[in-house]
Amino acid sequence: TSGFNASAWDVAQITRGPGGQLRGLSCAAPPIRAFDVLKPVHVTDLGPGIKVYDLGQNASIMPRLTVTGPAGITVKVIPSELIRPNGDIEDIACRGNSYLTYTHDGGPARTWQPTFYYRGARYLRVECSKDAQLESIEGVVVHSSSTPVGEFACSNDLFNRIHTLIRWAQRSNMVSVMTDCPHREKLGWLEQYHLNGPSLRYEFDLAALFTKGMNDMADSQLENGLMPNIAPEYVIFPQGGETHLRESVEWGAALIEVPWQQYLWSGDIELMRRFY
């Protein structure tokens, strides 16, 4: 506000930028957007203030909730892909350490969802503090806006259901990188780009997303030529040993396979020219 006294505030410090090369829109991934809204198909009551909501479909979601009650009440939401026989969640991937807590301000009904956090989940365990009223909860399905280009249907219902299952898995792992699961670290594991490349390209136009992925790979490649298993390399895993989390050729081969597949599928030689 006018006249605010900021004399006690710290002065901003000048520091180095992140480095690297600034690239334009032609190297960017398509934006993440909301595509569907999953509403609960079943609710399990586990006791006072605790319920598990079944959204009916496993997907990459942002929980969205509407809450009423006095100021200070909280609603905690723990997403999960699995449930136990008693109806409670079985959050093997994150062991309950990945969750959301909403604190109400005491005003009228508020509808809220996270801005960046998403999880692969079908079930939502909701813990309401005393006097908290959960008016509604749903899952907003979010993923890359890469354009769908493929369809499949046949007379065999099993094949149709398998295709639907695959399509959900593909959608849930397409964000700004290709992930191998949407429920835990969400790193850009590179085998997705080429081992799943053909089946993914049957379903979606991935030229922009895969071009962005190739830039990530080029930025992450070591001076000695090693292509780490993930790009961007947010986590530097140990090199060598039995796990080979940083140096498996099945992952690093994406650096070579992606440009070749891009050419085979679209005739586009730009990635081969740029990264040869």
Side-chain angles (χ1 to χ4, degrees):
T1 57
S2 176
F4 176 75
N5 181 8
S7 60
W9 285 33
D10 291 337
V11 177
Q13 300 296 310
I14 298 177
T15 185
R16 292 187 300 173
Q21 179 182 355
L22 184 63
R23 300 184 176 95
L25 180 62
S26 62
C27 295
I32 308 302
R33 300 195 189 282
F35 288 89
D36 300 290
V37 177
L38 303 177
K39 298 183 181 297
V41 298
H42 181 74
V43 182
T44 301
D45 193 336
L46 297 178
I50 303 177
K51 293 181 180 179
V52 173
Y53 294 82
D54 179 0
L55 300 177
Q57 172 63 52
N58 193 37
S60 55
I61 63 166
M62 289 181 171
R64 182 164 64 194
L65 51 153
T66 300
V67 179
T68 59
I73 57 97
T74 60
V75 177
K76 180 179 179 179
V77 181
I78 309 176
S80 178
E81 294 189 321
L82 304 170
I83 55 171
R84 301 172 184 168
N86 68 350
D88 200 357
I89 62 170
E90 182 71 89
D91 188 23
I92 296 174
C94 298
R95 298 176 179 85
N97 294 318
S98 175
Y99 59 86
L100 301 160
T101 301
Y102 169 78
T103 303
H104 193 53
D105 64 358
R110 306 288 192 195
T111 298
W112 176 85
Q113 73 179 67
T115 304
F116 299 106
Y117 172 100
Y118 78 94
R119 271 284 303 271
R122 171 177 170 175
Y123 305 97
L124 301 173
R125 176 187 167 107
V126 178
E127 303 173 3
C128 294
S129 66
K130 183 181 179 181
D131 298 327
Q133 296 295 322
L134 182 67
E135 302 296 333
S136 68
I137 189 166
E138 52 198 8
V140 180
V141 178
V142 295
H143 55 75
S144 169
S145 55
S146 296
T147 306
V149 294
E151 297 179 358
F152 174 83
C154 72
S155 60
N156 188 310
D157 182 58
L158 177 60
F159 287 172
N160 291 331
R161 288 163 56 199
I162 291 173
H163 174 260
T164 299
L165 175 72
I166 293 170
R167 183 83 166 214
W168 273 109
Q170 291 174 331
R171 292 172 61 188
S172 294
N173 286 287
M174 288 196 313
V175 280
S176 300
V177 296
M178 292 301 304
T179 66
D180 65 357
C181 60
H183 52 251
R184 50 178 192 263
E185 24 79 355
K186 308 180 183 77
L187 296 172
W189 293 97
L190 298 184
E191 89 285 6
Q192 303 302 326
Y193 286 92
H194 71 96
L195 293 182
N196 282 323
S199 60
L200 286 163
R201 291 176 189 269
Y202 271 120
E203 300 284 352
F204 299 93
D205 179 357
L206 295 174
L209 182 58
F210 277 31
T211 297
K212 187 267 185 185
M214 280 299 301
N215 285 317
D216 292 338
M217 293 180 224
D219 288 342
S220 301
Q221 189 176 24
L222 276 58
E223 290 294 329
N224 64 6
L226 173 67
M227 185 66 245
N229 290 0
I230 59 173
E233 197 179 18
Y234 291 122
V235 181
I236 299 179
F237 290 109
Q239 196 168 331
E242 296 181 0
T243 54
H244 296 288
L245 287 175
R246 198 187 187 200
E247 55 182 21
S248 294
V249 68
E250 313 96 286
W251 278 252
L255 185 68
I256 297 171
E257 293 284 356
V258 168
W260 178 241
Q261 290 182 4
Q262 187 109 326
Y263 163 69
L264 292 179
W265 281 80
S266 66
D268 179 10
I269 64 170
E270 177 60 21
L271 294 185
M272 293 174 61
R273 185 196 66 78
R274 189 182 306 173
F275 297 108
Y276 189 86

